Amino acid sequence: MTAAAPLATGRARPVRLARPRLAVDTVTFAIEGGRLKCYLVQLKRGLVGGKWAFPGGLVGRGELLDDAAHRELAAATGLNGAYLEQLFTFGDPSRDPIAHVVSVAYMALVDTPCRVSACCAKYAGAQWCEVAALPPLAYDHAIVAGYALKRLRAKLEYTNIAVHLLPPSFTFAELEELYAKLLERPLDRRNFRRRIMAAGLLRPLGRMRYGAHRPATLYAFAQRSLQMIEML
Amino acid sequence: MTAAAPLATGRARPVRLARPRLAVDTVTFAIEGGRLKCYLVQLKRGLVGGKWAFPGGLVGRGELLDDAAHRELAAATGLNGAYLEQLFTFGDPSRDPIAHVVSVAYMALVDTPCRVSACCAKYAGAQWCEVAALPPLAYDHAIVAGYALKRLRAKLEYTNIAVHLLPPSFTFAELEELYAKLLERPLDRRNFRRRIMAAGLLRPLGRMRYGAHRPATLYAFAQRSLQMIEML
DNA sequence: CCAAAAGTGTTGGCTCTACACCCATGA
DNA sequence: TCATGGGTGTAGAGCCAACACTTTTGG
């Protein structure tokens, strides 16, 4: 979402010729059913009504950009305190068909896609959509999506960013599947485990996960804060 | 520079409570005398008058962000068509003591620091300043400078970005000195040459540079467009 | 002929990749 | 006991870092 809700200002000047407005838009990723999904909302009003887009909105007076992104994300999903990272600022005056709205794009990562509440009144609908099969998106959001995905992939390879996509405890196989899915290539199980462990990324919990077969030891990330590493 | 030139609008509303304004600021790097320098301007008006900062200004109505950055850079330096890259957007409402101005920071690279014309009437002065010894800067520009430097260093290691900091032809020693200075570590001459050549970064011109000692073969970059590589 | 910068190869250590079998459990 | 996913070690290849001497020119 990008355009202001009330597009007309008090003045008579056409919106197209007004000063650029400033918005944030947030691409939220989560793993669900072993697939990477992102959160889309359906727009209500204006030329873009009915189209799907990433949630977003204008930056408030005196508001921090990060705060605006958190606020819009919470409004659209009910999630508070998600991991957020600024991506890039998209400023083409024609990206929004109605007004000149410059958008600071953010990426959010979430480990519990199920927990999002139904969308707020601001939007006509909301859904988690597989990244590999996005519908046509409003504005320049297809480009934003590509940018976000690229950033996420890159950071997988040199940070512990996966901490934000996984629950507090997980098995090695789950971590490996996440990497393989996102990087779109198979990983050698033994080599992968060696590298991850050598990087000091994980801490084994004492516990096991029991399931249909041999139990798997559970791990947690050593730190939740951003950690730079060499691997893959 | 960030604040609008005329800070008071026609309306009575205090500027602090107005919608955020949008600006661009540009950190311009160049090598001069074997040292990395960046271009600073001295501000004229307002609370920040007399302080040094990176050139910048408000984004115009209907203007692309990249165009705004090019325009402000040209206004401050006379340079057209420099390499420009968006860095990050700084939006803390308190970054500008007067108004809420969100700034999209850019990095510019220039190979001919000498050719910049004297500063325009907008600024009280201008200078190339060694990056290692910047004066106190206005706004949050010290943070912006750090960000730009970090990006430049990182890109040296996996792209041909140095093409924009060197003249069309140069010797191997000059390239190596650039890398060593920016990365702040000594490089092994033989290993460095091997890697650069293996990456296909350079093309030997037929010519030589003659000087006080043994002549050096001149090189140019194989491409001027961005090239991703593995090295260092 | 001397000073100064340009240019050039090799080796040992280390890292990375490729690869296959046994284990533990629930059903 | 069987099906299924969990867990483990090694050897060969390729890569990278460390290292010093010869060449060419101008003065």
Side-chain angles (χ1 to χ4, degrees):
Chain A
M1 232 304 262
T2 293
L7 281 168
T9 65
R11 289 165 290 167
R13 174 189 295 150
V15 185
R16 278 239 64 95
L17 295 178
R19 285 199 174 287
R21 303 283 180 99
L22 187 68
V24 293
D25 288 297
T26 302
V27 185
T28 308
F29 289 119
I31 305 284
E32 194 179 32
R35 299 186 180 283
L36 183 69
K37 302 198 170 181
C38 64
Y39 189 75
L40 297 178
V41 293
Q42 193 170 27
L43 303 180
K44 267 182 164 172
R45 275 187 267 261
L47 288 176
V48 294
K51 283 206 176 171
W52 293 92
F54 298 114
L58 294 181
V59 176
R61 301 163 199 266
E63 187 176 42
L64 289 169
L65 291 174
D66 287 8
D67 288 352
H70 271 114
R71 176 177 52 71
E72 290 291 343
L73 181 63
T77 66
L79 294 168
N80 281 295
Y83 173 80
L84 263 186
E85 168 175 337
Q86 191 191 115
L87 285 178
F88 195 77
T89 299
F90 295 87
D92 189 324
S94 63
R95 61 180 290 282
D96 183 318
I98 296 172
H100 184 181
V101 180
V102 173
S103 167
V104 182
Y106 278 80
M107 172 173 75
L109 301 181
V110 155
D111 61 1
T112 52
C114 43
R115 274 209 302 105
V116 313
S117 53
C119 76
C120 62
K122 181 174 176 181
Y123 302 113
Q127 63 169 328
W128 285 98
C129 180
E130 196 164 341
V131 167
L134 293 178
L137 297 178
Y139 313 120
D140 53 0
H141 282 192
I143 296 169
V144 177
Y147 205 98
L149 191 55
K150 196 175 116 201
R151 174 79 65 96
L152 176 59
R153 283 197 183 118
K155 281 209 154 179
L156 265 192
E157 311 214 25
Y158 67 92
T159 72
N160 65 342
I161 200 168
V163 69
H164 303 291
L165 286 172
L166 286 172
S169 70
F170 50 88
T171 67
F172 223 101
E174 288 167 339
L175 181 70
E176 188 192 327
E177 193 200 0
L178 186 156
Y179 270 81
K181 277 273 160 51
L182 283 184
L183 300 179
E184 290 177 318
R185 60 178 141 119
L187 297 173
D188 181 89
R189 207 186 329 166
R190 285 171 283 193
N191 294 337
F192 180 71
R193 177 184 289 256
R194 207 188 343 260
R195 266 187 302 237
I196 293 283
M197 287 322 220
L201 220 53
L202 299 188
R203 178 168 50 92
L205 306 172
R207 297 173 287 133
M208 294 286 204
R209 164 166 312 165
Y210 297 89
H213 300 291
R214 173 172 175 179
T217 61
L218 287 169
Y219 292 87
F221 277 86
Q223 326 183 0
R224 284 194 68 80
S225 57
L226 189 71
Q227 189 180 355
M228 298 292 201
I229 51 178
E230 279 304 316
M231 65 172 206
L232 281 187
Chain B
M1 231 306 256
T2 292
L7 282 169
T9 64
R11 290 165 291 169
R13 173 188 296 152
V15 185
R16 279 239 63 96
L17 295 178
R19 285 199 175 288
R21 303 283 180 97
L22 187 68
V24 292
D25 288 297
T26 302
V27 184
T28 308
F29 289 118
I31 304 284
E32 194 179 32
R35 300 188 179 279
L36 182 70
K37 302 197 170 180
C38 65
Y39 190 75
L40 296 177
V41 294
Q42 194 171 27
L43 303 180
K44 266 183 163 172
R45 274 187 266 261
L47 287 177
V48 293
K51 282 206 176 172
W52 293 91
F54 298 113
L58 294 181
V59 176
R61 302 164 198 266
E63 187 176 42
L64 289 168
L65 291 174
D66 287 9
D67 288 353
H70 271 114
R71 176 177 52 72
E72 289 291 344
L73 181 62
T77 66
L79 293 168
N80 282 294
Y83 173 80
L84 262 186
E85 169 175 336
Q86 192 191 113
L87 285 178
F88 195 77
T89 299
F90 295 86
D92 189 326
S94 62
R95 60 180 290 282
D96 183 317
I98 297 172
H100 184 181
V101 180
V102 173
S103 168
V104 182
Y106 278 79
M107 173 174 74
L109 302 180
V110 155
D111 63 0
T112 51
C114 43
R115 274 210 301 105
V116 314
S117 54
C119 77
C120 62
K122 181 174 177 180
Y123 301 113
Q127 62 169 329
W128 285 99
C129 180
E130 195 165 341
V131 167
L134 293 178
L137 297 179
Y139 312 121
D140 53 2
H141 282 191
I143 296 169
V144 177
Y147 205 98
L149 191 54
K150 196 176 114 199
R151 174 79 66 96
L152 176 58
R153 283 198 182 120
K155 281 210 153 180
L156 264 193
E157 309 213 25
Y158 65 92
T159 73
N160 65 343
I161 201 169
V163 68
H164 303 290
L165 286 172
L166 286 171
S169 69
F170 50 88
T171 67
F172 223 101
E174 287 166 341
L175 181 70
E176 189 193 325
E177 192 199 0
L178 185 157
Y179 271 80
K181 276 273 160 51
L182 283 186
L183 301 180
E184 290 177 319
R185 61 180 141 118
L187 297 173
D188 180 89
R189 208 187 326 168
R190 284 169 285 192
N191 294 336
F192 180 71
R193 178 184 290 253
R194 203 184 353 256
R195 269 188 302 240
I196 293 282
M197 286 323 218
L201 220 54
L202 298 189
R203 178 167 49 91
L205 306 172
R207 297 172 286 134
M208 294 287 207
R209 164 164 313 165
Y210 297 90
H213 300 291
R214 177 173 172 178
T217 61
L218 286 168
Y219 292 87
F221 277 87
Q223 327 181 358
R224 283 194 70 79
S225 57
L226 190 70
Q227 190 180 355
M228 297 294 199
I229 51 177
E230 279 305 316
M231 65 171 207
L232 280 188

